[in-house]
Amino acid sequence: MDDYLFRYHVDQCHVVEEKTTYLEILNYSDDAYDTCEAHPLITGDDFDNYLRRTGAFEPPIVREGVKLQGGIRLIVQKDAKHADTFAPLHISLQPENYESMVRTWHLPFRAIEGSSIVGPFFWCAHDQDEDDRHLQIIFRKSDVRKKAMTRGWEIMLSYSYKTGITTGFVKGTPTSDIVDSLKHLTACRDQTGHPLLLPMIILSHDLSHKGDTRQRDARDWLRRLENAITMRDEIDEKEVYSDFDVDGINRDLVECHSQVLWKRPQAYQEIVKEIKDAMQKFMEYMPEDKRTKSLNALHNNMLARLEFYRVKLTGMEHYIHTTLERLHIQRQALYNVMAQKESKLNLEIASQQRRLAHATKRDGTAMKTLSLLGAVFLPGTFMASIFSMTFFDFNVGPNYGDPSDSSGDGAQVSNLLWLYFAVTVPLTLIILAFWYWIDKRREKKYAEEDVEIEKGIDTMEKDILAIMRKKTISKATTWTSGGPLGASKRTILPKRERPPIKEAEDGTYEMV
């Protein structure tokens, strides 16, 4: 089944071209025969000869008694730049060369099925050839492209218990740690007899001080955000935000959160565990005659280093958890601040609406103008109707001359005409004065109502902001936000609702 699936996936893969070299480190019982070479593989014949150790790559002839103690032989692509070199179902060797490499060196067939794996991944197992058993290792880390640049690295290794040589394929981008890892591997050439040396070197680079430095920088960034949002005074004055820009602070919260999540320790804790299991598998089948003192010392040293990484990752996990909790608190506080601003805006809108309502109400009093006009002309009309009775004799009509005469030459005006003006004018002025007094009284009342409205709006806004600010910055709320669930749900009865306590005859107390 493995053979069929391997050929099936190789046929499905697309080929991308990458520059290929080799690295060969061999250690003999006589140091004079030790080799460490790295050169390009230009032609297909060079590639095939290197796999089978033929032609220019034939083993050197050594004197009698000199034995090969171990080593490592790698096909290396340390400067992979193609945008799809780590894309799913893509290989950077010709299919026939890739298949020949895997079969000749007993590399894991399953590696081709892991081309789509993202994040750190480690796998180790023995093959099924009991006559020539090999320890197979897959260690890789890849991700999607960033700014059109591919990212990642991968190694496939196979350790032969017969020869003590580790063979494999190594590929990495310029931004990965493969170049530095291979330099360190060359510097530790005397210890290449252990198949997990290269994975340990790569792991040490992946867990370098860069991760700790990024977490420290994120914590410093968090303190600046805490000062800007909740006024926590733990930073220098020159690090304070110059202005409170909600959008900018929200972006900083998101970016700080993403920085904290960089290389989460949980994934690497699993890697450490898997490498420990792989080391146990290696020593389980290691022949007794090859368990030299130096190999055992190296093995124990690597186990101690893995334990160191485990403790380090555990501490980092707790540190990251605290940072994430504090970021969550600041995010909630920022939401409260935004809610405050929204409430203030709603209050302003409500105040404007109330002002508009009162203005509309006052504008409705414009109808009083019509009443005023009526009040002005109504007395005259009323008095005119009175004086039209018998106070005046206009002597107009057929009883006083020619019926066609309408000149009114015979009209007579009573001497009491002044009564009309004497009564009409004062009455009109009295009505106008009375209306003016009522209108001024109404305006004064409206002004007092407007003042009360403004005071009520200001008081309401201050009360809401004070309550929300208290909930946001309260240390009791902040410190217990991540506490146990039961601690946050305790209910304390008010004093008047607490059940009374009485003393029993035997001196004990019981609830009533």
PDB file of all heavy atoms in Angstrom, residues 37-57:
ATOM      1  N   GLU A  37      32.498  17.467   3.101  1.00  0.00           N
ATOM      2  CA  GLU A  37      32.476  18.092   1.782  1.00  0.00           C
ATOM      3  C   GLU A  37      31.076  18.595   1.476  1.00  0.00           C
ATOM      4  O   GLU A  37      30.070  17.985   1.868  1.00  0.00           O
ATOM      5  CB  GLU A  37      32.909  17.090   0.701  1.00  0.00           C
ATOM      6  CG  GLU A  37      34.341  16.602   0.853  1.00  0.00           C
ATOM      7  CD  GLU A  37      34.718  15.616  -0.237  1.00  0.00           C
ATOM      8  OE1 GLU A  37      33.799  15.252  -1.025  1.00  0.00           O
ATOM      9  OE2 GLU A  37      35.891  15.217  -0.304  1.00  0.00           O
ATOM     10  N   ALA A  38      31.035  19.691   0.725  1.00  0.00           N
ATOM     11  CA  ALA A  38      29.766  20.276   0.277  1.00  0.00           C
ATOM     12  C   ALA A  38      29.997  20.915  -1.082  1.00  0.00           C
ATOM     13  O   ALA A  38      30.803  21.849  -1.204  1.00  0.00           O
ATOM     14  CB  ALA A  38      29.253  21.312   1.275  1.00  0.00           C
ATOM     15  N   HIS A  39      29.316  20.396  -2.099  1.00  0.00           N
ATOM     16  CA  HIS A  39      29.493  20.879  -3.471  1.00  0.00           C
ATOM     17  C   HIS A  39      28.159  20.804  -4.214  1.00  0.00           C
ATOM     18  O   HIS A  39      27.244  20.076  -3.797  1.00  0.00           O
ATOM     19  CB  HIS A  39      30.543  20.042  -4.214  1.00  0.00           C
ATOM     20  CG  HIS A  39      31.909  20.110  -3.599  1.00  0.00           C
ATOM     21  ND1 HIS A  39      32.728  21.206  -3.685  1.00  0.00           N
ATOM     22  CD2 HIS A  39      32.594  19.180  -2.869  1.00  0.00           C
ATOM     23  CE1 HIS A  39      33.856  20.981  -3.041  1.00  0.00           C
ATOM     24  NE2 HIS A  39      33.802  19.741  -2.536  1.00  0.00           N
ATOM     25  N   PRO A  40      28.021  21.553  -5.311  1.00  0.00           N
ATOM     26  CA  PRO A  40      26.779  21.490  -6.094  1.00  0.00           C
ATOM     27  C   PRO A  40      26.653  20.160  -6.824  1.00  0.00           C
ATOM     28  O   PRO A  40      27.646  19.501  -7.158  1.00  0.00           O
ATOM     29  CB  PRO A  40      26.919  22.649  -7.083  1.00  0.00           C
ATOM     30  CG  PRO A  40      27.992  23.520  -6.531  1.00  0.00           C
ATOM     31  CD  PRO A  40      28.915  22.617  -5.783  1.00  0.00           C
ATOM     32  N   LEU A  41      25.401  19.760  -7.058  1.00  0.00           N
ATOM     33  CA  LEU A  41      25.081  18.614  -7.910  1.00  0.00           C
ATOM     34  C   LEU A  41      24.505  19.171  -9.200  1.00  0.00           C
ATOM     35  O   LEU A  41      23.349  19.604  -9.249  1.00  0.00           O
ATOM     36  CB  LEU A  41      24.087  17.680  -7.221  1.00  0.00           C
ATOM     37  CG  LEU A  41      24.599  16.939  -5.984  1.00  0.00           C
ATOM     38  CD1 LEU A  41      23.479  16.171  -5.320  1.00  0.00           C
ATOM     39  CD2 LEU A  41      25.734  15.993  -6.359  1.00  0.00           C
ATOM     40  N   ILE A  42      25.335  19.175 -10.241  1.00  0.00           N
ATOM     41  CA  ILE A  42      24.967  19.885 -11.464  1.00  0.00           C
ATOM     42  C   ILE A  42      24.168  18.986 -12.407  1.00  0.00           C
ATOM     43  O   ILE A  42      23.085  19.343 -12.867  1.00  0.00           O
ATOM     44  CB  ILE A  42      26.226  20.430 -12.166  1.00  0.00           C
ATOM     45  CG1 ILE A  42      26.960  21.393 -11.215  1.00  0.00           C
ATOM     46  CG2 ILE A  42      25.857  21.148 -13.459  1.00  0.00           C
ATOM     47  CD1 ILE A  42      28.264  21.908 -11.761  1.00  0.00           C
ATOM     48  N   THR A  43      24.672  17.814 -12.695  1.00  0.00           N
ATOM     49  CA  THR A  43      24.050  16.944 -13.691  1.00  0.00           C
ATOM     50  C   THR A  43      23.282  15.821 -13.008  1.00  0.00           C
ATOM     51  O   THR A  43      23.433  15.548 -11.809  1.00  0.00           O
ATOM     52  CB  THR A  43      25.110  16.352 -14.619  1.00  0.00           C
ATOM     53  OG1 THR A  43      25.987  15.495 -13.857  1.00  0.00           O
ATOM     54  CG2 THR A  43      25.936  17.469 -15.262  1.00  0.00           C
ATOM     55  N   GLY A  44      22.464  15.156 -13.808  1.00  0.00           N
ATOM     56  CA  GLY A  44      21.734  13.996 -13.305  1.00  0.00           C
ATOM     57  C   GLY A  44      22.656  12.854 -12.943  1.00  0.00           C
ATOM     58  O   GLY A  44      22.370  12.088 -12.004  1.00  0.00           O
ATOM     59  N   ASP A  45      23.760  12.710 -13.637  1.00  0.00           N
ATOM     60  CA  ASP A  45      24.728  11.649 -13.302  1.00  0.00           C
ATOM     61  C   ASP A  45      25.360  11.925 -11.942  1.00  0.00           C
ATOM     62  O   ASP A  45      25.579  10.984 -11.161  1.00  0.00           O
ATOM     63  CB  ASP A  45      25.805  11.577 -14.389  1.00  0.00           C
ATOM     64  CG  ASP A  45      25.240  11.050 -15.711  1.00  0.00           C
ATOM     65  OD1 ASP A  45      24.188  10.384 -15.672  1.00  0.00           O
ATOM     66  OD2 ASP A  45      25.841  11.327 -16.760  1.00  0.00           O
ATOM     67  N   ASP A  46      25.669  13.193 -11.670  1.00  0.00           N
ATOM     68  CA  ASP A  46      26.217  13.520 -10.351  1.00  0.00           C
ATOM     69  C   ASP A  46      25.236  13.147  -9.248  1.00  0.00           C
ATOM     70  O   ASP A  46      25.626  12.592  -8.209  1.00  0.00           O
ATOM     71  CB  ASP A  46      26.537  15.017 -10.262  1.00  0.00           C
ATOM     72  CG  ASP A  46      27.706  15.402 -11.156  1.00  0.00           C
ATOM     73  OD1 ASP A  46      28.475  14.496 -11.540  1.00  0.00           O
ATOM     74  OD2 ASP A  46      27.838  16.600 -11.472  1.00  0.00           O
ATOM     75  N   PHE A  47      23.973  13.426  -9.482  1.00  0.00           N
ATOM     76  CA  PHE A  47      22.944  13.109  -8.491  1.00  0.00           C
ATOM     77  C   PHE A  47      22.868  11.602  -8.274  1.00  0.00           C
ATOM     78  O   PHE A  47      22.860  11.123  -7.117  1.00  0.00           O
ATOM     79  CB  PHE A  47      21.590  13.659  -8.964  1.00  0.00           C
ATOM     80  CG  PHE A  47      20.490  13.564  -7.951  1.00  0.00           C
ATOM     81  CD1 PHE A  47      20.275  14.576  -7.034  1.00  0.00           C
ATOM     82  CD2 PHE A  47      19.666  12.447  -7.909  1.00  0.00           C
ATOM     83  CE1 PHE A  47      19.270  14.483  -6.105  1.00  0.00           C
ATOM     84  CE2 PHE A  47      18.657  12.342  -6.975  1.00  0.00           C
ATOM     85  CZ  PHE A  47      18.457  13.372  -6.069  1.00  0.00           C
ATOM     86  N   ASP A  48      22.846  10.828  -9.351  1.00  0.00           N
ATOM     87  CA  ASP A  48      22.731   9.369  -9.239  1.00  0.00           C
ATOM     88  C   ASP A  48      23.992   8.763  -8.623  1.00  0.00           C
ATOM     89  O   ASP A  48      23.898   7.849  -7.789  1.00  0.00           O
ATOM     90  CB  ASP A  48      22.463   8.779 -10.629  1.00  0.00           C
ATOM     91  CG  ASP A  48      22.081   7.318 -10.567  1.00  0.00           C
ATOM     92  OD1 ASP A  48      20.997   7.009 -10.032  1.00  0.00           O
ATOM     93  OD2 ASP A  48      22.877   6.478 -11.038  1.00  0.00           O
ATOM     94  N   ASN A  49      25.160   9.264  -8.998  1.00  0.00           N
ATOM     95  CA  ASN A  49      26.413   8.741  -8.429  1.00  0.00           C
ATOM     96  C   ASN A  49      26.513   9.045  -6.938  1.00  0.00           C
ATOM     97  O   ASN A  49      27.012   8.208  -6.164  1.00  0.00           O
ATOM     98  CB  ASN A  49      27.613   9.336  -9.165  1.00  0.00           C
ATOM     99  CG  ASN A  49      27.747   8.800 -10.572  1.00  0.00           C
ATOM    100  OD1 ASN A  49      27.312   7.675 -10.869  1.00  0.00           O
ATOM    101  ND2 ASN A  49      28.332   9.578 -11.468  1.00  0.00           N
ATOM    102  N   TYR A  50      26.014  10.218  -6.527  1.00  0.00           N
ATOM    103  CA  TYR A  50      26.068  10.549  -5.108  1.00  0.00           C
ATOM    104  C   TYR A  50      25.138   9.648  -4.293  1.00  0.00           C
ATOM    105  O   TYR A  50      25.477   9.230  -3.171  1.00  0.00           O
ATOM    106  CB  TYR A  50      25.687  12.023  -4.898  1.00  0.00           C
ATOM    107  CG  TYR A  50      25.715  12.452  -3.452  1.00  0.00           C
ATOM    108  CD1 TYR A  50      26.920  12.600  -2.775  1.00  0.00           C
ATOM    109  CD2 TYR A  50      24.535  12.694  -2.759  1.00  0.00           C
ATOM    110  CE1 TYR A  50      26.951  12.980  -1.445  1.00  0.00           C
ATOM    111  CE2 TYR A  50      24.558  13.081  -1.428  1.00  0.00           C
ATOM    112  CZ  TYR A  50      25.766  13.217  -0.771  1.00  0.00           C
ATOM    113  OH  TYR A  50      25.799  13.584   0.554  1.00  0.00           O
ATOM    114  N   LEU A  51      23.972   9.328  -4.873  1.00  0.00           N
ATOM    115  CA  LEU A  51      23.055   8.441  -4.154  1.00  0.00           C
ATOM    116  C   LEU A  51      23.688   7.074  -3.905  1.00  0.00           C
ATOM    117  O   LEU A  51      23.608   6.519  -2.798  1.00  0.00           O
ATOM    118  CB  LEU A  51      21.743   8.275  -4.933  1.00  0.00           C
ATOM    119  CG  LEU A  51      20.798   9.478  -5.017  1.00  0.00           C
ATOM    120  CD1 LEU A  51      19.579   9.116  -5.852  1.00  0.00           C
ATOM    121  CD2 LEU A  51      20.371   9.916  -3.626  1.00  0.00           C
ATOM    122  N   ARG A  52      24.351   6.531  -4.935  1.00  0.00           N
ATOM    123  CA  ARG A  52      24.851   5.149  -4.868  1.00  0.00           C
ATOM    124  C   ARG A  52      26.340   5.061  -4.522  1.00  0.00           C
ATOM    125  O   ARG A  52      26.902   3.961  -4.503  1.00  0.00           O
ATOM    126  CB  ARG A  52      24.583   4.445  -6.199  1.00  0.00           C
ATOM    127  CG  ARG A  52      23.080   4.253  -6.452  1.00  0.00           C
ATOM    128  CD  ARG A  52      22.794   3.727  -7.853  1.00  0.00           C
ATOM    129  NE  ARG A  52      21.394   3.384  -8.016  1.00  0.00           N
ATOM    130  CZ  ARG A  52      20.416   4.236  -8.224  1.00  0.00           C
ATOM    131  NH1 ARG A  52      20.699   5.530  -8.300  1.00  0.00           N
ATOM    132  NH2 ARG A  52      19.168   3.843  -8.359  1.00  0.00           N
ATOM    133  N   ARG A  53      26.928   6.218  -4.266  1.00  0.00           N
ATOM    134  CA  ARG A  53      28.343   6.266  -3.908  1.00  0.00           C
ATOM    135  C   ARG A  53      29.192   5.570  -4.975  1.00  0.00           C
ATOM    136  O   ARG A  53      30.001   4.678  -4.696  1.00  0.00           O
ATOM    137  CB  ARG A  53      28.592   5.644  -2.547  1.00  0.00           C
ATOM    138  CG  ARG A  53      27.806   6.284  -1.412  1.00  0.00           C
ATOM    139  CD  ARG A  53      28.297   5.811  -0.069  1.00  0.00           C
ATOM    140  NE  ARG A  53      29.609   6.384   0.257  1.00  0.00           N
ATOM    141  CZ  ARG A  53      30.287   6.091   1.369  1.00  0.00           C
ATOM    142  NH1 ARG A  53      29.778   5.203   2.233  1.00  0.00           N
ATOM    143  NH2 ARG A  53      31.463   6.646   1.601  1.00  0.00           N
ATOM    144  N   THR A  54      28.982   5.995  -6.192  1.00  0.00           N
ATOM    145  CA  THR A  54      29.746   5.482  -7.328  1.00  0.00           C
ATOM    146  C   THR A  54      30.455   6.642  -8.004  1.00  0.00           C
ATOM    147  O   THR A  54      30.187   7.815  -7.731  1.00  0.00           O
ATOM    148  CB  THR A  54      28.820   4.776  -8.330  1.00  0.00           C
ATOM    149  OG1 THR A  54      27.813   5.710  -8.799  1.00  0.00           O
ATOM    150  CG2 THR A  54      28.133   3.578  -7.692  1.00  0.00           C
ATOM    151  N   GLY A  55      31.369   6.299  -8.930  1.00  0.00           N
ATOM    152  CA  GLY A  55      32.087   7.327  -9.658  1.00  0.00           C
ATOM    153  C   GLY A  55      32.953   8.163  -8.740  1.00  0.00           C
ATOM    154  O   GLY A  55      33.768   7.648  -7.954  1.00  0.00           O
ATOM    155  N   ALA A  56      32.766   9.478  -8.808  1.00  0.00           N
ATOM    156  CA  ALA A  56      33.569  10.391  -7.986  1.00  0.00           C
ATOM    157  C   ALA A  56      33.221  10.312  -6.506  1.00  0.00           C
ATOM    158  O   ALA A  56      33.957  10.854  -5.678  1.00  0.00           O
ATOM    159  CB  ALA A  56      33.388  11.823  -8.485  1.00  0.00           C
ATOM    160  N   PHE A  57      32.126   9.619  -6.177  1.00  0.00           N
ATOM    161  CA  PHE A  57      31.686   9.560  -4.782  1.00  0.00           C
ATOM    162  C   PHE A  57      31.909   8.189  -4.153  1.00  0.00           C
ATOM    163  O   PHE A  57      31.299   7.861  -3.140  1.00  0.00           O
ATOM    164  CB  PHE A  57      30.203   9.922  -4.700  1.00  0.00           C
ATOM    165  CG  PHE A  57      29.882  11.287  -5.235  1.00  0.00           C
ATOM    166  CD1 PHE A  57      29.386  11.438  -6.527  1.00  0.00           C
ATOM    167  CD2 PHE A  57      30.096  12.416  -4.465  1.00  0.00           C
ATOM    168  CE1 PHE A  57      29.087  12.693  -7.016  1.00  0.00           C
ATOM    169  CE2 PHE A  57      29.800  13.668  -4.962  1.00  0.00           C
ATOM    170  CZ  PHE A  57      29.300  13.824  -6.247  1.00  0.00           C
TER     171      PHE A  57
END
